[in-house]
Amino acid sequence: MKKHDLKIHGSGSAGGGSFHRVLIRGEGMITGNIDCEKFSTHGTSELSGDAKIKSFSVHGETEIRGRLKADKARVYGTADVSEDANISDAAVKGIINIGGNMAAETCDVKGALNVRGDCEAEDFTLTGSLDVKGLLNAGAIDIGLKFGNSSIGDIGGTHIKVVKKRGLLFNRNGGFLSAGTIEGDDIYLENTEARMVRGNRVHIGPGCKIEKVEYKSSCRVSPKSEVNEDQQE
C-alpha cells in the first residue's frame, strides 16, 4: 500500500500515522505517533507521541514528546525530545535537548547538547557546550569548549580530546568542563576539572584541576594545571 504525504502550510494540526513524507511550513502539531520516510520542519512543529523517521530535518524548532528513532537527523535550530533518542547519523547546528538517553553512530554538534541520561556514540564531536547527566561513552571523543560551563557525569572512550575554543570577539577564554571520572586510552585535556583521570597515555594541558591521574605508559602535566596526585599502574 502506497503511503501518502502529510503537508501543513501556515498553521494546522493532524493526527499521527504512517506517511511517506511529512512537511511542515509554518506552525504544525501532530497528535499521536508517526512513522515516515522523511520529516521536514521549516518553522515550528510539535509531535505528541513517538517518531520513527528515516530522514529528520529541522529548520526552526521541533518538540517531540515521546521517543525519536531516526537514521539521519539534521537540526538547524532547536530540537527537544522528551524521552530517548536513537539516531544513526546526527548533525546539529543549534541546540538539541534529550530527556532520556541518546545513542548515535556519529554525533556532530556545533552549539549545545543537553542529555538527562547517558550519551553513547561511535564518533562524538562537539564545539560549544554540553550537559550530560550520566555517562558519555564513545570510541572517539573530540570536544571544543567554546562557551559556558559544561558538565558530564563520567567520560569513557578510546581517544578523548577536550580543548578550549576561543571565540573571535567574545568568550576569548573558551568554556570549562566539569566531570567525575575520565577514562580512555589516549587522553588530552584542557580547561577541565575532574575527580579521576585514568588512561594509557595522559596529557593534562593548561587550565585543568585534576584530583588524581592513573596512567600506564606516560603522563604529562602542563605547568598551568593542577594535579593533586599521579600514579603509574
Side-chain angles (χ1 to χ4, degrees), residues 97-153:
N97 303 308
I98 309 298
N101 299 319
M102 180 177 181
E105 291 182 11
T106 60
C107 182
D108 185 359
V109 178
K110 292 177 175 61
L113 169 69
N114 301 297
V115 181
R116 293 184 64 87
D118 298 333
C119 181
E120 184 174 353
E122 289 295 326
D123 294 295
F124 181 90
T125 304
L126 178 139
T127 301
S129 70
L130 75 164
D131 182 5
V132 178
K133 300 298 184 186
L135 170 68
L136 171 60
N137 184 33
I141 297 173
D142 189 343
I143 297 174
L145 302 168
K146 198 163 188 178
F147 54 84
N149 293 319
S150 294
S151 175
I152 303 173

Side-chain angles (χ1 to χ4, degrees), residues 27-223:
E27 184 177 359
M29 179 173 182
I30 299 175
T31 57
N33 302 331
I34 68 163
D35 184 333
C36 63
E37 298 287 320
K38 185 175 181 180
F39 178 95
S40 181
T41 290
H42 296 265
T44 303
S45 62
E46 184 177 327
L47 285 68
S48 68
D50 298 337
K52 184 178 179 182
I53 301 164
K54 284 193 175 181
S55 178
F56 177 71
S57 175
V58 177
H59 296 260
E61 184 176 353
T62 292
E63 179 182 359
I64 299 173
R65 295 185 183 176
R67 296 166 295 180
L68 171 63
K69 180 175 176 56
D71 290 346
K72 182 175 73 173
R74 298 292 182 263
V75 177
Y76 305 91
T78 303
D80 295 321
V81 181
S82 297
E83 299 181 24
D84 295 344
N86 190 325
I87 305 167
S88 296
D89 178 11
V92 178
K93 291 186 177 181
I95 302 170
I96 183 166
N97 303 308
I98 309 298
N101 299 319
M102 180 177 181
E105 291 182 11
T106 60
C107 182
D108 185 359
V109 178
K110 292 177 175 61
L113 169 69
N114 301 297
V115 181
R116 293 184 64 87
D118 298 333
C119 181
E120 184 174 353
E122 289 295 326
D123 294 295
F124 181 90
T125 304
L126 178 139
T127 301
S129 70
L130 75 164
D131 182 5
V132 178
K133 300 298 184 186
L135 170 68
L136 171 60
N137 184 33
I141 297 173
D142 189 343
I143 297 174
L145 302 168
K146 198 163 188 178
F147 54 84
N149 293 319
S150 294
S151 175
I152 303 173
D154 295 300
I155 303 174
T158 304
H159 302 282
I160 300 170
K161 183 171 73 171
V162 179
V163 300
K164 67 177 181 180
K165 293 277 190 179
R166 294 186 178 93
L168 295 177
L169 297 175
F170 305 102
N171 302 306
R172 290 294 183 93
N173 295 324
F176 193 83
L177 172 66
S178 298
T181 298
I182 301 174
E183 185 166 357
D185 190 24
D186 292 289
I187 301 173
Y188 177 80
L189 304 174
E190 294 178 359
N191 279 30
T192 299
E193 181 175 358
R195 184 178 64 254
M196 167 70 76
V197 175
R198 184 184 293 117
N200 184 21
R201 290 171 291 274
V202 178
H203 187 175
I204 306 298
C208 294
K209 293 181 180 180
I210 312 296
E211 289 188 21
K212 186 176 182 179
V213 173
E214 293 182 354
Y215 65 97
K216 291 182 180 179
S217 297
S218 63
C219 178
R220 297 168 57 192
V221 179
S222 167

